Amino acid sequence: MYTLPGKLMTIAGTDPNLSAIAEKVRNKERITDGEGLLLFEKASLSFVGSLANSIREELHGDTTYFNRNFHIEPTNVCVFSCNFCSYSRVYAHRDEGWELTMQQMLDIVRSYDGKPVTEVHIVGGVHPKMNLEFFAELLRKIKAHRPDLHIKGFTAVELDYMFRKAKMTVEEGINYLHEAGLDSLPGGGAEIFHAEIREQICADKVDAEGWLNIHETAHRAGMHTNATLLYGHIEKYHHRIDHMRRLRELQDRTHGFNTFIPLKFRNKDNDMSEVPESTLVEDMKMYAISRIYLDNFPHIKAYWPMLGRQNAQLSLSFGVNDIDGTIDDTTRIYSMAGSEEQTPAMNTAQLVTLIKQAKRRPVERGTLYNVIHDYTETDFTKEGADPQLN
Ligand code: V47
Ligand code: SF4
């Protein structure tokens, strides 16, 4: 049992509504949409931070998870044109983008032979010629080469397009790819569900109902998935709450979501470059309030290539208990959108150090949060210190 520090009541100060929220969290009661909104509008960072941290420590103690993964980005050619995207190239300008062949993608997988990675994350643009059969073949070939590698692949946007082109129902498509080797789905493509905003930032791709249906179907097929929210652009707080409410309701039905990942909008080289980026205080509030509101999500993740290393480190005190992976090649979707994380990779020693500096416990996990190794006692200054490499 955790007890909420008495001083929180003082921080809530004269606002009885904030005190009531603190009391609810202390009693492990769910907060309402109105209360979530109030936290965004009225609460200080220290107030939401303390509440979120108490929940995080109740659920996970000091444990901070990371995993060893690598990315395959099959293409950045995309039939859609989301205004916030700095990464894609429309099909007509595909000569400016990249399209990997099956062989090139398998070569990436082979380049990790003998290395202790546990997950490959496949995500990219929606290319009209890379269809369901092409990706099913890729999955089968990856599994044939390395059966124990967990394949987390394809946003609901990519899947929606693939299934429709193949004239399959969502259920048929999910089962087909699951059998071919797909283990779980990443959380991308969710952006902001509310139609008022979705129509302005990504009008032409799968809508909220379609995204949620694909994830629900995957959950019912026994797969776990993640969920994201793209924040800090033209949306209002009530749109964020609406988005999280839909996720919380689906999670009540299926319990298939593992992780919620707030994604900070970056404004370089896209059609929304005039929109300023959110401040650090706003970023930390977003993490904290999602930890408080999404009481049925086990994990909140800060994706460091997008947020920046130091801010990701800070988020570990604002409800975050997962810091993604030791990505070898910082994924292009963020470096192209203005993330300062241009330098490739953070190795295990760097990631572990980052977590320890925040006085947290670094634990390597598999995709499904199975513990692979607790790095609390590991001293990287000693030769052969990484037990996964011995
Ligand atoms: O859906 C695109 C986002 C997402 C920008 O599930 C942008 O473990 C900010 O979802 N500024 C794809 N964000 C990446 C993604 C993801 C990443 C890491 C881990 C997981 C997981 C999922 O990237 C897109 C979109 O929301 N994005 N452009 C931008 N300018
Ligand atoms: Fe295409 Fe995804 Fe970029 Fe939208 S965010 S344009 S779907 S690659």
Side-chain angles (χ1 to χ4, degrees):
M1 265 296 287
Y2 70 94
T3 45
L4 200 63
K7 68 172 185 261
L8 260 184
M9 298 301 170
T10 328
I11 296 169
T14 51
D15 191 328
N17 296 317
L18 290 181
S19 305
I21 295 175
E23 186 61 17
K24 270 193 163 179
V25 171
R26 190 151 71 104
N27 295 328
K28 298 196 182 135
E29 283 172 46
R30 176 169 281 189
I31 67 163
T32 64
D33 292 1
E35 289 166 334
L37 202 53
L38 195 75
L39 289 177
F40 275 121
E41 284 170 351
K42 294 275 164 63
S44 65
L45 177 60
S46 60
F47 180 75
V48 292
S50 307
L51 283 183
N53 192 50
S54 66
I55 297 168
R56 184 250 202 249
E57 291 186 358
E58 163 72 9
L59 290 173
H60 305 289
D62 279 334
T63 298
T64 297
Y65 294 103
F66 67 94
N67 73 347
R68 298 203 206 216
N69 61 4
F70 64 98
H71 282 78
I72 298 178
E73 296 181 10
T75 181
N76 69 340
V77 173
C78 191
V79 297
F80 299 118
S81 39
C82 305
N83 293 339
F84 55 81
C85 185
S86 324
Y87 159 93
S88 64
R89 295 292 173 268
V90 290
Y91 189 63
H93 293 165
R94 59 189 180 281
D95 49 319
E96 295 167 14
W98 71 84
E99 299 172 24
L100 300 185
T101 62
M102 180 78 71
Q103 194 51 47
Q104 285 170 322
M105 291 192 267
L106 292 170
D107 287 344
I108 295 176
V109 176
R110 283 199 195 94
S111 71
Y112 287 90
D113 283 359
K115 293 188 185 163
V117 289
T118 58
E119 173 189 287
V120 53
H121 180 172
I122 308 175
V123 68
V126 179
H127 192 298
K129 299 238 164 89
M130 291 181 175
N131 59 19
L132 183 77
E133 200 39 60
F134 175 79
F135 283 121
E137 192 58 25
L138 175 69
L139 296 168
R140 285 185 208 109
K141 287 189 162 143
I142 294 175
K143 283 288 176 186
H145 181 70
R146 196 162 172 175
D148 57 335
L149 192 65
H150 182 108
I151 308 180
K152 178 174 81 177
F154 313 120
T155 65
V157 176
E158 295 165 88
L159 294 174
D160 171 69
Y161 186 85
M162 265 185 239
F163 299 163
R164 280 190 292 116
K165 259 204 129 173
K167 298 197 178 4
M168 276 191 187
T169 64
V170 170
E171 196 179 355
E172 287 165 348
I174 288 282
N175 289 338
Y176 187 68
L177 291 181
H178 194 25
E179 274 164 32
L182 186 63
D183 294 301
S184 65
L185 308 188
E191 324 311 357
I192 289 280
F193 288 145
H194 200 294
E196 212 171 270
I197 301 299
R198 205 170 180 85
E199 277 161 14
Q200 294 180 66
I201 64 169
C202 54
D204 51 358
K205 71 186 186 187
V206 68
D207 62 9
E209 288 67 34
W211 191 99
L212 291 161
N213 181 38
I214 286 177
H215 281 255
E216 179 155 8
T217 308
H219 297 169
R220 296 202 187 285
M223 296 162 82
H224 282 281
T225 77
N226 291 338
T228 56
L229 181 161
L230 182 71
Y231 73 91
H233 42 92
I234 59 166
E235 89 290 2
K236 301 269 188 288
Y237 292 140
H238 74 90
H239 297 120
R240 297 187 197 178
I241 293 289
D242 172 78
H243 189 99
M244 292 196 287
R245 179 182 43 74
R246 297 188 206 211
L247 293 174
R248 194 167 77 173
E249 284 173 1
L250 172 51
Q251 180 75 330
D252 277 342
R253 293 199 297 277
T254 61
H255 300 283
F257 287 118
N258 261 337
T259 314
F260 179 67
I261 313 157
L263 294 172
K264 175 193 176 90
F265 165 67
R266 308 299 308 234
N267 67 5
K268 191 177 148 215
D269 288 338
N270 55 46
D271 290 343
M272 291 169 67
S273 288
E274 77 291 352
V275 176
E277 292 182 357
S278 56
T279 62
L280 182 56
V281 169
E282 273 296 312
D283 295 335
M284 294 305 119
K285 278 188 88 171
M286 181 64 223
Y287 284 103
I289 296 168
S290 62
R291 179 60 288 172
I292 298 165
Y293 183 90
L294 291 172
D295 60 342
N296 55 4
F297 271 65
H299 307 284
I300 306 288
K301 176 153 88 179
Y303 186 52
W304 66 260
M306 175 270 278
L307 193 60
R309 294 169 203 213
Q310 293 195 0
N311 295 349
Q313 189 182 39
L314 189 64
S315 74
L316 302 182
S317 299
F318 290 88
V320 168
N321 68 291
D322 186 336
I323 198 163
D324 207 79
T326 53
I327 302 156
D328 266 10
D329 173 19
T330 300
T331 150
R332 284 177 269 201
I333 200 159
Y334 287 114
S335 51
M336 291 172 80
S339 166
E340 51 277 17
E341 295 298 340
Q342 307 280 352
T343 46
M346 201 165 19
N347 64 30
T348 306
Q350 290 169 312
L351 205 54
V352 163
T353 304
L354 195 96
I355 295 168
K356 283 186 176 173
Q357 281 170 344
K359 299 291 173 264
R360 298 298 196 190
R361 170 184 284 259
V363 173
E364 185 189 343
R365 62 164 176 87
T367 311
L368 303 178
Y369 290 86
N370 49 307
V371 171
I372 292 177
H373 187 75
D374 184 335
Y375 278 86
T376 310
E377 304 300 335
T378 308
D379 179 358
F380 279 99
T381 57
K382 296 204 175 106
E383 207 181 325
D386 189 343
Q388 303 304 307
L389 292 175
N390 294 337

